[in-house]
Amino acid sequence: MHKDKPVILFVDDEAAVLSSLSRQLRHQRDRWCLEFESSPKTALQKARDLDVDVVISDMQMPGMNGLELIAAMRRFSPEAAYIMLTGSSDLSTAVGAINDASVFRFYTKPCPAELLKEGIEAGLAARVAAQGPAEIRESDLSDINNNLGMAALDHLSLSVIVVDPAARVLLTNKSGGALLSRNDGLSMSAGEICRASTTSESEKLHQLIQTAAGDAEENEQGSFVVSLQRPSQKRAYSVLAIPIAAPGPEQAQESGRPLVALYISDPENQPLPSAEAISRLFGLTRAEARIVHELVKGASMDEAAENAGVTVSTARTYLKQVFSKTDTKRQAELVKLVLTYPRLSTGAGLPPEPIVR
């Protein structure tokens, strides 16, 4: 089922408690769909109908206690996050809630609104990590599959993440989903937004996405390629953004397209191709291959020229020659060609000829 917002269900037999929760969390209604039920049996059916994301349940309720309710909900919503509220601070109750019903959080009443909000956000993030990117409409999935060939992308060592212009994650290949779940330099927020490790890095990533989505002319700094640092201090990701053509005007308007495919190379898991390998694969000179190698790593043209020990003017001349030799027209197209070239992905099949000088 396609949902515009995560569904948060509150269950408590005391109407005053539900009314208080509704008032305290009223400012979250623009982000969450808030549902309140005083009957556990009715809540059980509502959870099934609405495909809930997070359930906050009281422990002591007539007819069915919180543990029994959560156990029943888990049969059809195993990926939802469950939070228990109780008026008792008995440790045995908390242990039973966590162990017997796999409750995500355990809070005693009265629970401060901010603490409860943090618990809900953590539950949403855990659900996202467990199931991968949120569902999209079948028509959208079909369109994306047709444009990307997801079956083939799953066999790439590259991570591929499909986002809309607002950086909301729509789809990933297997490697992309695993990368997001590691939360090391790239992650997905509770609102399904693709983020980097810091505010400045996220701004850089989102600017990259918006530029690619707008299909603007690539500037001299290589705006379709960036490198993103990682909290683990491992080598930075190289991220290439490629716009995906919209399948039709109506669908484009409805889903906010054009979409953007992020091709992410992790040099720790799949080393970037060396300048020598690039030279041999594409028939480039050492100097040309060195510039391409720097650009693939996410360097700007100025940085690539400096790292290669040439002037920016010379580097641009080399790049024009590379475009001619590889039948590409733009830097993003060239980087994509290098990153997705099969012999680079497998590390096999390099031609034995010496590097052209």
Side-chain angles (χ1 to χ4, degrees), residues 29 53 62 75 83 101-102 112 136 147 155 168 185 203 206 210 226 235 241 256 269-270 276 292 308 311 353:
R29 289 186 178 275
D53 295 276
R75 297 191 186 103
I83 296 174
S102 298
I136 57 177
N147 280 289
H155 293 283
R168 186 169 67 96
E203 289 176 353
H206 294 170
Q210 291 167 13
V226 298
R235 287 181 291 173
N269 293 331
Q270 175 61 40
E276 289 77 10
V292 174
T311 65
E353 289 80 14

Side-chain angles (χ1 to χ4, degrees), residues 278 282-295 301 304-331 334 356-357:
I278 293 173
F282 300 104
L284 308 181
T285 66
R286 285 182 183 272
E288 293 166 350
R290 198 171 296 122
I291 294 298
V292 174
H293 182 249
E294 292 295 329
L295 295 176
M301 180 58 71
E306 181 180 355
N307 294 339
V310 299
T311 65
V312 175
S313 176
T314 299
R316 290 191 184 124
T317 298
Y318 288 153
L319 186 59
K320 290 179 181 179
Q321 295 169 353
V322 172
F323 286 159
S324 177
K325 292 181 179 181
T326 58
D327 196 25
T328 55
K329 296 180 180 179
R330 297 196 305 176
Q331 183 178 316
L334 171 65
V356 179
R357 296 184 179 276

Side-chain angles (χ1 to χ4, degrees), residues 212-231:
D215 200 23
E217 285 298 318
E218 193 175 347
N219 63 34
E220 293 179 354
Q221 300 302 315
S223 61
F224 282 69
V225 187
V226 298
S227 60
L228 296 179
Q229 301 302 314
R230 304 162 68 175

Side-chain angles (χ1 to χ4, degrees), residues 1-3 53 128 131-137 168-171 188 191-192:
M1 181 181 81
H2 176 71
K3 299 185 298 185
D53 295 276
V128 167
Q131 72 176 19
E135 289 181 321
I136 57 177
R137 288 184 293 274
R168 186 169 67 96
V169 177
L170 300 180
L171 196 67
M188 184 163 54
E192 302 163 9

Side-chain angles (χ1 to χ4, degrees), residues 36-350:
F36 300 86
E37 269 300 334
S38 58
S39 166
K41 290 185 177 179
T42 305
L44 189 62
Q45 184 58 49
K46 179 172 284 191
R48 186 190 297 271
D49 294 341
L50 295 178
D51 184 24
V52 293
D53 295 276
V54 178
V55 176
I56 299 92
S57 175
D58 186 24
M59 177 60 186
Q60 300 298 335
M61 296 182 291
M64 183 183 299
N65 67 33
L67 293 181
E68 293 170 337
L69 175 64
I70 290 174
M73 287 182 176
R74 278 199 174 279
R75 297 191 186 103
F76 53 83
S77 293
E79 294 177 343
Y82 296 92
I83 296 174
M84 181 70 70
L85 292 178
T86 179
S88 170
S89 59
D90 186 354
L91 180 60
S92 63
T93 303
V95 172
I98 295 171
N99 292 338
D100 297 342
S102 298
V103 172
F104 181 75
R105 289 284 191 276
F106 175 87
Y107 297 131
T108 57
K109 294 180 180 179
C111 179
E114 284 303 310
L115 180 60
L116 185 57
K117 186 178 74 170
E118 289 176 5
I120 293 171
E121 289 176 338
L124 289 171
R127 175 175 169 84
V128 167
Q131 72 176 19
E135 289 181 321
I136 57 177
R137 288 184 293 274
E138 288 186 5
S139 60
D140 282 348
L141 181 59
S142 176
D143 294 334
I144 295 173
N145 280 341
N146 288 338
N147 280 289
L148 288 178
M150 289 303 299
L153 290 178
D154 277 338
H155 293 283
L156 286 178
S157 57
L158 286 172
S159 298
V160 181
I161 301 173
V162 181
V163 297
D164 65 15
R168 186 169 67 96
V169 177
L170 300 180
L171 196 67
T172 75
N173 68 350
K174 291 179 181 179
S175 177
L179 184 147
L180 288 174
S181 68
R182 288 196 294 270
N183 194 22
D184 181 24
L186 278 173
S187 63
M188 184 163 54
S189 71
E192 302 163 9
I193 302 299
C194 187
R195 299 190 182 281
S197 57
T198 66
T199 300
S200 61
E201 291 282 276
S202 290
E203 289 176 353
K204 182 166 64 171
L205 172 65
H206 294 170
Q207 182 60 53
L208 173 80
I209 292 169
Q210 291 167 13
T211 303
D215 200 23
E217 285 298 318
E218 193 175 347
N219 63 34
E220 293 179 354
Q221 300 302 315
S223 61
F224 282 69
V225 187
V226 298
S227 60
L228 296 179
Q229 301 302 314
R230 304 162 68 175
S232 66
Q233 303 302 313
K234 293 180 179 179
R235 287 181 291 173
Y237 294 129
S238 177
V239 182
L240 166 71
I242 298 292
I244 304 173
E250 294 182 1
Q251 290 164 312
Q253 184 177 6
E254 179 183 3
S255 59
R257 295 184 175 179
L259 305 180
V260 175
L262 302 176
Y263 292 81
I264 304 157
S265 177
D266 180 357
E268 298 292 333
N269 293 331
Q270 175 61 40
L272 291 172
S274 65
E276 289 77 10
I278 293 173
S279 174
R280 292 163 62 186
L281 284 167
F282 300 104
L284 308 181
T285 66
R286 285 182 183 272
E288 293 166 350
R290 198 171 296 122
I291 294 298
V292 174
H293 182 249
E294 292 295 329
L295 295 176
V296 169
K297 291 195 298 182
S300 67
M301 180 58 71
D302 288 353
E303 293 168 337
E306 181 180 355
N307 294 339
V310 299
T311 65
V312 175
S313 176
T314 299
R316 290 191 184 124
T317 298
Y318 288 153
L319 186 59
K320 290 179 181 179
Q321 295 169 353
V322 172
F323 286 159
S324 177
K325 292 181 179 181
T326 58
D327 196 25
T328 55
K329 296 180 180 179
R330 297 196 305 176
Q331 183 178 316
E333 186 181 357
L334 171 65
V335 173
K336 179 184 177 183
L337 173 66
V338 175
L339 286 177
T340 60
Y341 199 76
R343 284 178 288 185
L344 292 179
S345 299
T346 63
L350 289 173

